[in-house]
Amino acid sequence: MRRPDTRQTILRHGPVVRIAHALLALSVIVLIVSGLGMAERLPGQAVSMLGGHVWLGDLHRQLGLVFGVAVAGLMLFGPAAGRRLIRDMCRFRRGDATWFRSFVRYVLAPSRHRPQSHDGRFDPGQRIVFAVILGSAAVLTVSAAALYLAPVGSTSLLAWALRIHVVAAVIFIAALAVHVLVGVGLLASHRNIGRVMFGDGRVKQGLAYTLWPTWTAGQITDSNADAVAGQQHGTPAAASGHTDLARRLDKARPE
Amino acid sequence: MSQRGKPRQTRRTSAQAGSPRRGLLIRITAGVAILAIVGAAIAIQAGGGADDPGVAFTINAPTDGATVSSPVTLDVALHGSQLGSPGDGLDHLHLSLDGGQPIAEYSSSRLPLQIPSGRHTLTVELAGPDHAPLLPDRSVTFTVTG
């Protein structure tokens, strides 16, 4: 396995994923703020500045409906890569449990410790946060559907749906806060990681190898294979790192 | 060895052929369910609570065209509805003066309002625990004297 070059960067997320993530983040921020404003959990002046209780309520209900349908539709009928991404986010392996202790040591002293190796596209900590975000988002969606569909006057059903919605929202926001704290690169252990989603999508090979060793090794191997294929076939596309093209060229090569 | 391997390969092939079809069927079923829920939600949103004949409200005071002094007593009579915390599944009022930003009132349907002198229109809306209006809003226009 080739060791990473700490000066080089590696592409973690392409433009489609980064744009989708930005749209998702924007929608979630609007839903959280409008939900808090509607429930009068923000200062009165802030609620007033944001358009008021009624306007925020309308925004929350209508955006929530569109958002829920769009996400469910994309998950069901969107590209298979999206479903693979969700599977990668939530798949846990034996041995992941012991990773956490090493990760805490790494976060506290990144220059002296390294987290334990794992073979996921995301590290076990990320996967737990993603699983909580996805799980609470599913509960939010189901409880919101119950709020939409409950008959007028069904006090008990509405109350339960709302309580579940609020508890799920609190869990969702807490998990999201962890995701944001790590993802913006405030921790010394994750310095400059923010550019992965809000920059050019690249991360230094050294950091990538520390956080996602197997995935990084695979990417480096792939890019080496592309370069080799490019040299063998003399195709600029393969030499420039077009993995699929290089693989197809390789398959098409006569034995 | 190769004969043993063959049936296994056949089983795997048929399973692989069935899996995408089953996956598609599940996705189509889920898609239809989502569409049904969305359709029902839109119908409920568009229709408000008008389907429920048991819920109604009227503005008892101030009366339309009245001349009153400040503080103006707003008295809303509720039928089939109870004000309270949305967390308890209860309804609330949205009050708006002269088309301004509505405020929410959760506790009482009878309350004094400090309103400056002049002619004003007060709009009242009954909202459910999800903050969606249950019925079309009602308005009264009145004059406040100093």
Side-chain angles (χ1 to χ4, degrees), chain A residues 38-40 47-48 51-54 57-58 61-62 65 69 72-73 76-78 83 145 147-149 152-153 155 158-159 162-163, chain B residues 27-28 30-31 34 37-38 40-42 44-45 49 52 55 86-90 92 94 101-102 104 106 129-134:
Chain A
M38 177 178 79
E40 317 230 8
V47 172
S48 184
H53 167 84
V54 172
D58 289 345
R61 281 193 311 278
Q62 283 158 20
L65 183 62
V69 172
L76 287 169
F77 303 108
R83 285 189 291 281
L147 285 169
Y148 273 115
L149 301 174
V152 174
T155 309
L158 284 163
L162 202 65
R163 281 174 203 157
Chain B
R27 276 189 260 158
I28 288 173
I34 288 171
I37 290 170
V38 171
I42 290 171
I44 289 167
Q45 289 288 304
D52 187 340
V55 177
D88 295 327
L90 300 175
H92 61 279
H94 292 156
Q101 206 175 77
Y106 296 94
D130 64 344
H131 304 270
L134 296 175

Side-chain angles (χ1 to χ4, degrees), chain B residues 102-118:
Chain B
I103 57 159
E105 171 56 40
Y106 296 94
S107 54
S108 176
S109 59
R110 186 180 166 85
L111 56 159
L113 303 171
Q114 293 288 346
I115 298 176
S117 300

Side-chain angles (χ1 to χ4, degrees), chain B residues 110-127:
Chain B
R110 186 180 166 85
L111 56 159
L113 303 171
Q114 293 288 346
I115 298 176
S117 300
R119 195 173 159 79
H120 299 285
T121 299
L122 182 66
T123 304
V124 179
E125 186 178 66
L126 181 63

Side-chain angles (χ1 to χ4, degrees), chain A residues 76-77, chain B residues 20-36:
Chain A
L76 287 169
F77 303 108
Chain B
R21 234 180 293 154
R22 206 167 41 236
L24 185 65
L25 192 68
I26 289 168
R27 276 189 260 158
I28 288 173
T29 310
V32 170
I34 288 171
L35 283 178

Side-chain angles (χ1 to χ4, degrees), chain A:
Chain A
M1 189 184 288
R2 187 169 171 259
R3 299 294 297 184
D5 182 340
T6 50
R7 294 161 302 176
Q8 294 290 316
T9 59
I10 190 169
L11 184 67
R12 175 72 172 161
H13 296 302
V16 174
V17 173
R18 298 204 304 275
I19 290 169
H21 181 266
L23 288 172
L24 194 65
L26 185 67
S27 307
V28 166
I29 289 169
V30 174
L31 281 171
I32 289 173
V33 171
S34 60
L36 291 172
M38 177 178 79
E40 317 230 8
R41 291 291 184 270
L42 296 177
Q45 208 173 353
V47 172
S48 184
M49 273 172 55
L50 291 167
H53 167 84
V54 172
W55 191 83
L56 287 172
D58 289 345
L59 176 68
H60 189 78
R61 281 193 311 278
Q62 283 158 20
L63 179 64
L65 183 62
V66 172
F67 181 79
V69 172
V71 171
L74 273 173
M75 281 169 68
L76 287 169
F77 303 108
R83 285 189 291 281
R84 273 200 304 275
L85 180 71
I86 290 169
R87 191 195 58 201
D88 288 347
M89 281 174 168
C90 302
R91 180 183 284 177
F92 290 90
R93 298 150 179 87
R94 200 184 292 263
D96 281 346
T98 55
W99 174 90
F100 287 95
R101 199 185 300 168
S102 69
F103 184 70
V104 170
R105 279 199 300 267
Y106 168 61
V107 169
L108 295 175
S111 56
R112 285 190 287 127
H113 296 284
R114 286 283 172 275
Q116 182 185 308
S117 183
H118 64 90
D119 64 357
R121 179 174 169 184
F122 303 100
D123 65 54
Q126 276 181 297
R127 278 180 262 142
I128 283 218
V129 171
F130 287 147
V132 172
I133 287 175
L134 288 173
S136 54
V139 175
L140 281 168
T141 307
V142 172
S143 55
L147 285 169
Y148 273 115
L149 301 174
V152 174
S154 52
T155 309
S156 178
L157 174 62
L158 284 163
W160 273 107
L162 202 65
R163 281 174 203 157
I164 291 169
H165 197 74
V166 169
V167 170
V170 170
I171 294 169
F172 181 83
I173 291 169
L176 208 60
V178 174
H179 174 65
V180 170
L181 176 73
V182 176
V184 295
L186 284 178
L187 300 175
S189 54
H190 291 70
R191 193 76 72 204
N192 292 327
I193 199 98
R195 68 188 273 201
V196 162
M197 274 302 181
F198 296 102
D200 57 3
R202 305 189 75 84
V203 59
K204 283 197 173 165
Q205 278 189 13
L207 179 59
Y209 192 76
T210 302
L211 296 175
W212 315 290
T214 308
W215 175 85
T216 308
Q219 296 297 305
I220 294 170
T221 309
D222 273 359
S223 69
N224 284 348
D226 291 346
V228 170
Q231 282 161 8
Q232 282 177 346
H233 302 295
T235 58
S240 65
H242 288 74
T243 312
D244 290 342
L245 181 59
R247 280 188 186 139
R248 271 184 275 138
L249 284 169
D250 202 32
K251 277 183 187 166
R253 191 176 57 175
E255 294 299 322

Side-chain angles (χ1 to χ4, degrees), chain B residues 81-102:
Chain B
S81 170
Q82 193 186 339
L83 297 191
S85 165
D88 295 327
L90 300 175
D91 305 330
H92 61 279
L93 298 174
H94 292 156
L95 311 176
S96 166
L97 189 66
D98 301 325
Q101 206 175 77

